[in-house]
Amino acid sequence: MIATCGSARRSLARAFADPDAGPVLLYVEGAAGLGKTHLLSELAGLPEAPDAARLWWRCGAGDGQQVADEPWGKPALLLVDDVHRADEDELRRLRRVLEGLEPGSAAAVAYRPEELPVPGLPLGGSAMAYPFRLTVLTHRLAPWDEERVRRAAADVLGESGGTAEAVGTLHERTGGVPRAVVDLLALLREQRPAFTGTAAEVAAAGVPTRLAELVLSRTYALSPAHRPLVWAAAVLDGPAARDELIAVSGLGTVPGSDALLRALESAALAEPGEGRYGFAVPLAAAAVRDTVPGPVRQDLHRRAAGVLSRRQPVAWTAVGEHHRAAGDDRRWLRAVEKAAESAAASGRHQEAIVLLERTLAAPGIPPQARARLAPLLARNAVTGLRSDQTVEVLAQIVQDGDLPPAVRGELRLDLGLMLSNQMGRFADGWRVLEIAAAELREVRSVLAARAMAALVTPYWPGASLDVHRGWLIKAVAAADDSGDEAMRTAVLANHVGLAMSWADPEAWDLVERLPVQSTDPACVRQAARGLCNAADSAVWLGFYRRVDGLLAEGRELAARSGAPYTEHSASGTRLLQEWWTGQWLGLARRCEEFIADTADMPFLASDAYVVRGLLAVAQGDWGEARSWLSQRGTFGTENLPVPLGATAAGAVIRLTLARQEVADAAEQARAAWTVVAEKGVWPWAAELAPWAVEALARAGDTTGAQAMVRDFAQGLGAADAPAARAALVWSRAVLAENEALAQGKPSGLLAAAEAYRKAAAAYAELPRPYSQALTTECAGRCVLAADAVGEAGGADGVDKSGGAGGAGEAGGAGEVDRADGADGTQAAGGETDGAGAHGSGASAAGDSAAPAGDRASTASAIAELESCAQHFTDLGAVWDATRARALLRTRQPAKKGRPPGRPSHSDQLSPREAEVAQLASSGLTNREIAATLHLSPRTVEQHIAGAMRKTGALSRRDLVHRL
């Protein structure tokens, strides 16, 4: 019977657990390196047989470690290793011992089946006379699966060894044979520089000594006439059919068949699959290949190329490598070209890119071959996902004066596309594309149209909307002249992106014209790009309900036509959609996973970086927020697409205002506004405008803030851009609030509150819950501020020299809350505010003295703020929720029945301590917490000390684990 390791051990244990149980014989069968001796050692430690003697017998050792033939007289566990090495005399003695096993005893006999003198009979050619009560079991050891290899790699190499790439290659090259795995891991552990977890490092590690010695001893035990068959297997480097091995060896049918039989008998080769022959450990092929004489090896490679070219489908990459090893460079380059074309046709663009990059980087490539291969590389790199080397390779090749003008123009076109779309180097890409358009106009009109179409794309900083429109006219004419339908579709796809960007009324009609039903893969790829362009623009415009359908159809077409770049860019659009529509659960993780998946192409993940930064702002993790918003240094933020750059700039301005660095915020606002204004696509100002207007207003540049609002309104005109229209109302509210505060007019603050409510209603319609909550919070704050100003100095006739003061201290867009006393007096909680000068500051008694209409308005504002705080909490916006609740506490009357003085919190955190501790654990400084909660830095310091004492936290960061 065949037993698992567990069942075999249980059977051995039964031999010792019951005095009347019969003896047990366990055969342990396993090829070299599978762990037979290790298993015997485990069996020697069998806990169920503590009193049994352990008797070891190592066959063929000649060291006298054998067992007497007579009965042992007490329970014993016999452990016999390497039976395949025993001679006839030793086998006879072992048979006698095993045939004499008595109750209370057991034996485990290990051997290599491939080295038995008689296959299938570990104890020799004649059948055993097993005792009647003897239980005989066989346990066949198996190679490790990939998961077991992963655990071993992680144990030896740490995290770098556990990468999927490294583990997959380790498992493939070692065949999962434990000894080979462990020895190869030892090589990787000792290499310098340290192992980083790549497949290339595993492949370059070499063959472990033990494995090399084993396979070479078996190979060279064969006669010289038979060795070419093993050499052929080494050159093919993978399981092959008998006829293929014989053809590569050059032995002929009869001699080759005989050589294969001898190789199998000597275990130089194995049969890993039905009718397929090769090495039991694939890595062993390299050791054999290195011993083959050079001229013989070249002949073997030449014949291997011929054999593999007859397989279907043809593995052209492998065929090419054999031609190269045989010294036939012409056939090698032709095979590389076919391999790249085949990979591209099946959508495996990255595979084609790697192959072509490696080939073109080789020295001595003839100019004619470079002219064929370089455009192939460029086309794959533009469609697929580039490697860092591609741009360098193409930049060098376009300088080759021997290239035909048409080839150079095509390469320059694709280089420009890569610089712009995939690396974010817009200025460089624009210049290259302009040259390509001129270079191709006379020699390749279709490609000239493609270059012009690329210059239609408006996302890049620099050129204005009018410049892009001019290129559109040229691109449409060139595409029509070319008569190429795929090129017409490419121009249409870019026309969709341009028209959608500035909310052209005809944009949606253009989307409907995309040929989504085309049977031409090139047209389908361009249609997919057009749909994804439309989805991205719809996100920026605020048409969130249309995005899902556009993305779903665009991604399906991209996957079907083999356009991975388009698929990945659509993933970035999806993250933006989820941010604005409040789908925040798990969003940070999804952003980080996307960034990791596109690590070699960080510009493609720029959407994910910005969304992750926006989340960090809302969560109060300001240090992380700045890092994410700056793309973590992967490339310059000045190269971000204009709408994304404006969004990131708005968030950075918001953070700078929250830190009370108003002058810096104003400078940032002016710089970011200039980029959008020069581009002239005004819907893209939506995520910048409210914060930029606030920064200028608080810095005292009211004229500049008013000009921003005026330019924004004029630029939008009658465009159907819901997000931008809501942002315009928000920006006007910010301006109104700051002007009212500067003039001390309660009526102006109430008017600002109403404008904020209109903005909130517009965001609710989109829907954009976070923006809705922010603007609703601003409305409530304005009402409370109006109430405070009215109490201080009456209606519109307040003293403009004091009281609320200028707009320079407070955040009109909701960043610094006017929560505590306007004059720095104690707020409702009894804490002194040292952070700002524009709080609502009125006490509960003041509310009761106000007119009924004012009391109703104040009550409504408090209800709005309570709703905001809950919405922020539901979204996970910790910083915003904390700020809203801090404002609420300044206006809510004391609870009835509460005794005078503060409640006792001697053993638990007070509500204020909990808020401060939450913000501190997120990384905010005392000054930043003070600005958020309208406390003095000294009060914040006291709250943090109290929270750390009560929770036992050792540091500010440790608070997060203690709360």
Side-chain angles (χ1 to χ4, degrees):
M1 79 188 337
I2 304 299
T4 65
C5 184
S7 65
R9 293 182 67 172
R10 285 193 296 273
S11 298
L12 286 182
R14 287 194 209 101
F16 301 101
D18 185 353
D20 296 327
V24 174
L25 170 59
L26 172 66
Y27 286 116
V28 178
E29 175 182 299
L34 285 180
K36 297 177 296 300
T37 302
H38 179 75
L39 179 57
L40 291 182
S41 298
E42 286 189 351
L43 294 175
L46 199 67
E48 292 84 355
D51 300 326
R54 269 61 170 177
L55 304 175
W56 281 91
W57 185 332
R58 301 188 188 280
C59 296
D63 55 5
Q65 292 192 41
Q66 297 180 358
V67 179
D69 296 1
E70 61 272 8
W72 300 324
K74 63 176 182 179
L77 174 57
L78 176 60
L79 302 160
V80 185
D81 201 3
D82 293 338
V83 170
H84 54 278
R85 293 179 177 169
D87 58 22
E88 287 296 329
D89 181 62
E90 191 172 10
L91 283 176
R92 281 194 297 271
R93 296 189 67 243
L94 178 58
R95 288 162 65 96
R96 286 197 297 269
V97 170
L98 296 176
E99 288 170 353
L101 283 176
E102 296 180 354
S105 295
V109 177
Y111 60 92
R112 295 178 182 173
E114 72 272 22
E115 295 187 21
L116 291 175
V118 181
L121 294 175
L123 298 178
S126 59
M128 274 279 291
Y130 295 116
F132 174 72
R133 297 188 63 194
L134 180 67
T135 299
V136 182
L137 303 169
T138 299
H139 175 63
R140 293 194 174 102
L141 293 170
W144 286 348
D145 60 15
E146 197 162 313
E147 171 57 24
R148 183 66 185 85
V149 172
R150 186 196 65 76
R151 295 203 305 270
D155 288 343
V156 175
L157 301 173
E159 290 185 6
S160 65
T163 65
E165 180 182 357
V167 169
T169 306
L170 275 166
H171 185 260
E172 176 190 352
R173 300 303 292 155
T174 62
V177 173
R179 182 75 266 167
V181 173
V182 172
D183 287 351
L184 185 53
L185 288 173
L187 289 178
L188 294 171
R189 181 187 59 209
E190 299 302 321
Q191 78 171 27
R192 292 294 179 272
F195 181 67
T196 61
T198 66
E201 289 173 293
V202 177
V207 183
T209 300
R210 245 187 299 240
L211 175 60
E213 289 181 352
L214 176 66
V215 69
L216 291 176
S217 66
R218 290 175 172 179
T219 298
Y220 287 91
L222 294 168
S223 71
H226 296 150
R227 288 173 199 162
L229 198 289
V230 181
W231 294 347
V235 166
L236 284 169
D237 200 15
R242 179 187 64 176
D243 293 344
E244 291 178 333
L245 281 173
I246 292 173
V248 174
S249 72
L251 291 177
T253 303
V254 175
S257 297
D258 184 53
L260 178 57
L261 290 175
R262 301 291 82 78
L264 293 170
E265 288 172 0
S266 70
L269 296 181
E271 188 179 6
E274 184 70 29
R276 310 289 289 181
Y277 305 97
F279 294 93
V281 179
L283 186 59
V288 174
R289 195 164 53 245
D290 289 344
T291 67
V292 181
V296 176
R297 188 170 60 249
Q298 282 193 316
D299 287 342
L300 290 166
H301 278 296
R302 178 176 51 78
R303 290 192 290 267
V307 165
L308 293 185
S309 64
R310 291 192 289 272
R311 287 182 179 177
Q312 292 299 324
V314 179
W316 286 112
T317 301
V319 170
E321 290 301 323
H322 285 298
H323 280 310
R324 189 181 190 188
D328 191 338
D329 286 350
R330 185 178 62 82
R331 286 192 170 90
W332 162 49
L333 294 171
R334 285 295 184 184
V336 166
E337 187 174 2
K338 291 180 179 179
E341 290 172 345
S342 175
S346 59
R348 294 176 284 116
H349 298 286
Q350 195 63 21
E351 179 181 323
I353 290 168
V354 171
L355 174 62
L356 291 165
E357 282 181 349
R358 187 171 64 238
T359 303
L360 287 167
I365 303 297
Q368 299 90 338
R370 290 168 68 87
R372 292 198 315 272
L373 298 179
L376 194 54
L377 168 62
R379 287 193 292 272
N380 276 280
V382 170
T383 305
L385 303 175
R386 66 150 181 91
S387 74
D388 290 336
Q389 189 179 355
T390 307
V391 167
E392 296 178 15
V393 171
L394 293 180
Q396 291 174 1
I397 293 175
V398 295
Q399 304 302 320
D400 187 347
D402 293 331
L403 285 176
V407 173
R408 184 184 300 106
E410 181 181 358
L411 292 179
R412 206 185 300 276
L413 163 62
D414 289 330
L415 176 60
L417 291 173
M418 290 187 64
L419 287 168
S420 302
N421 295 338
Q422 299 176 10
M423 296 191 70
R425 291 166 53 183
F426 297 120
D428 293 339
W430 182 275
R431 285 193 295 270
V432 172
L433 286 169
E434 284 186 316
I435 295 171
E439 203 167 33
L440 291 165
R441 187 176 292 117
E442 300 300 328
V443 293
R444 297 283 295 278
S445 60
V446 172
L447 294 182
R450 188 179 176 204
M452 295 172 188
L455 295 168
V456 171
T457 304
Y459 292 97
W460 310 335
S464 70
L465 180 61
D466 288 339
V467 171
H468 295 298
R469 287 169 172 160
W471 279 111
L472 174 63
I473 294 171
K474 296 177 183 177
V476 169
D480 287 342
D481 289 344
S482 73
D484 187 292
E485 193 58 37
M487 188 51 59
R488 288 195 184 102
T489 307
V491 173
L492 176 58
N494 286 12
H495 190 178
V496 165
L498 179 66
M500 289 281 290
S501 69
W502 61 276
D504 183 342
E506 298 180 0
W508 293 107
D509 292 336
L510 293 172
V511 174
E512 294 299 320
R513 287 171 48 193
L514 290 167
V516 296
Q517 302 298 327
S518 174
T519 57
D520 180 357
C523 286
V524 173
R525 277 194 294 271
Q526 298 300 336
R529 192 169 59 81
L531 289 170
C532 291
N533 284 349
D536 190 67
S537 294
V539 164
W540 293 113
L541 291 173
F543 292 111
Y544 304 117
R545 292 182 176 88
R546 295 194 181 192
V547 171
D548 289 341
L550 291 168
L551 277 182
E553 187 174 10
R555 295 181 76 167
E556 190 275 328
L557 291 179
R560 177 152 54 89
S561 61
Y565 178 83
T566 300
E567 286 188 84
H568 278 69
S569 64
S571 297
T573 301
R574 169 64 64 194
L575 295 173
L576 289 167
Q577 163 90 342
E578 290 174 350
W579 157 257
W580 275 309
T581 56
Q583 301 173 63
W584 290 13
L585 184 62
L587 182 55
R589 172 183 51 78
R590 292 193 292 278
C591 288
E592 292 174 20
E593 288 175 351
F594 185 60
I595 289 167
D597 290 343
T598 56
D600 63 340
M601 193 174 172
F603 178 72
L604 191 57
S606 55
D607 291 337
Y609 279 104
V610 171
V611 171
R612 186 64 186 85
L614 295 171
L615 285 168
V617 171
Q619 292 162 351
D621 196 351
W622 291 0
E624 281 293 293
R626 282 189 178 272
S627 176
W628 288 113
L629 291 169
S630 64
Q631 307 287 302
R632 296 213 155 181
T634 54
F635 60 92
T637 53
E638 70 278 2
N639 287 326
L640 282 173
V642 175
L644 199 61
T647 301
V652 170
I653 293 166
R654 185 184 181 196
L655 286 177
T656 309
L657 287 171
R659 288 190 166 109
Q660 304 298 308
E661 298 165 358
V662 178
D664 288 345
E667 285 306 308
Q668 293 165 355
R670 293 186 185 99
W673 194 260
T674 298
V675 174
V676 176
E678 288 179 350
K679 176 60 65 175
V681 182
W682 287 102
W684 290 348
E687 313 312 320
L688 171 64
W691 313 113
V693 169
E694 177 182 357
L696 265 61
R698 286 176 57 182
D701 185 4
T702 305
T703 301
Q706 292 170 339
M708 280 185 177
V709 174
R710 182 178 62 252
D711 292 346
F712 190 16
Q714 291 176 350
L716 279 181
D720 188 10
R725 297 224 159 270
L728 177 59
V729 177
W730 186 355
S731 301
R732 285 170 170 158
V734 170
L735 195 58
E737 179 185 10
N738 279 272
E739 290 175 350
L741 284 169
Q743 298 168 9
K745 290 186 176 182
S747 59
L749 287 167
L750 293 176
E754 188 58 32
Y756 279 126
R757 290 192 181 102
K758 289 180 180 178
Y763 282 122
E765 181 67 24
L766 293 180
R768 270 178 59 167
Y770 184 53
S771 300
Q772 177 190 355
L774 285 174
T775 46
T776 301
E777 178 195 1
C778 293
R781 186 187 64 236
C782 284
V783 172
L784 299 187
D787 185 29
V789 171
E791 290 173 2
D796 288 351
V798 297
D799 179 5
K800 297 177 178 59
S801 64
E809 297 279 346
E815 285 327 293
V816 179
D817 304 293
R818 304 160 182 83
D820 296 330
D823 58 358
T825 58
Q826 281 189 306
E831 294 160 330
T832 301
D833 170 21
H838 306 303
S840 56
S843 67
D847 287 341
S848 63
D854 292 345
R855 288 199 302 273
S857 178
T858 301
S860 175
I862 289 173
E864 286 177 330
L865 289 169
E866 289 174 338
S867 174
C868 287
Q870 187 58 53
H871 285 155
F872 287 140
T873 300
D874 293 342
L875 285 169
V878 175
W879 175 43
D880 301 288
T882 302
R883 185 186 61 248
R885 290 194 176 99
L887 178 57
L888 273 169
R889 273 198 303 275
T890 69
R891 299 299 302 180
Q892 290 172 324
K895 294 181 180 179
K896 293 182 179 180
R898 171 180 155 181
R902 293 179 180 272
S904 173
H905 295 286
S906 58
D907 298 325
Q908 60 184 0
L909 297 183
S910 69
R912 182 67 93 185
E913 285 173 335
E915 284 181 343
V916 171
Q918 183 68 53
L919 294 176
S921 66
S922 295
L924 269 67
T925 65
N926 288 1
R927 181 185 173 193
E928 291 163 350
I929 297 170
T932 299
L933 299 180
H934 275 268
L935 306 174
S936 69
R938 176 62 179 164
T939 301
V940 171
E941 183 180 333
Q942 292 171 347
H943 283 318
I944 292 174
M948 291 176 64
R949 175 176 53 78
K950 292 178 182 180
T951 62
L954 301 177
S955 66
R956 293 165 71 99
R957 282 288 184 183
D958 191 33
L959 279 170
V960 73
H961 305 295
R962 308 278 184 161
L963 295 178

